[in-house]
Amino acid sequence: CAMTMLNTCSYLSGRDIDSDVDLITHCELLSIAETTNFTLLAWQVFMSKMAVKFWMREYKDVAEISENHPSSNQMRILKVFRTLYEGIAFFNLARDTKQAKWKNLGVKAVAWMSHWESQAD
């Protein structure tokens, strides 16, 4: 699981990891997760890919990742991170493309976050 974080840090920093470390790619990690039915690893690969695209401001890629992996009954804290990335990406896409679809998805993300904020009180 630490490998997903190492991949993210390596990509975002633009640096290669020490050559002594055999870094496994996201695709390889996802393959391992699928063959071993390790759902936590699959989720971490998903979130790592989403985080990299989010921080690189590749919002269309964030939306595509999100659309290709529908939300399930995730624990609330896991859903919060996903919704945060999605919501900001959707609002940026709405601004850039002027498409109502993205604004509507962004509004849904805000509504979901607002619902859980009110539950925390």
Side-chain angles (χ1 to χ4, degrees), residues 19-98:
S19 61
D20 292 338
V21 177
D22 187 20
L23 193 61
I24 299 172
T25 67
H26 282 132
C27 290
E28 292 170 319
L29 287 169
L30 189 56
S31 177
I32 292 168
E34 289 171 349
T35 57
T36 61
N37 202 24
F38 190 7
T39 55
L40 178 60
L41 178 58
W43 183 86
Q44 287 182 322
V45 170
F46 163 78
M47 284 305 299
S48 179
K49 288 165 65 175
M50 187 174 271
V52 166
K53 297 300 183 181
F54 175 83
W55 290 111
M56 299 303 289
R57 296 182 178 196
E58 296 171 2
Y59 300 124
K60 183 67 174 164
D61 292 340
V62 172
E64 287 175 8
I65 291 169
S66 176
E67 288 173 347
N68 291 332
H69 302 281
S71 184
S72 62
N73 293 329
Q74 301 164 341
M75 293 188 326
R76 185 183 324 171
I77 190 65
L78 305 180
K79 177 93 168 129
V80 166
F81 286 108
R82 177 184 180 143
T83 304
L84 174 69
Y85 291 147
E86 289 172 343
I88 293 172
F90 294 153
F91 281 127
N92 274 280
L93 287 168
R95 182 190 62 211
D96 294 346
T97 67
K98 309 291 187 246

Side-chain angles (χ1 to χ4, degrees), residues 1-16:
C1 290
M3 192 66 68
T4 58
M5 184 59 76
L6 195 55
N7 274 328
T8 302
C9 293
S10 172
Y11 185 82
L12 292 176
S13 70
R15 295 181 169 170
D16 288 329

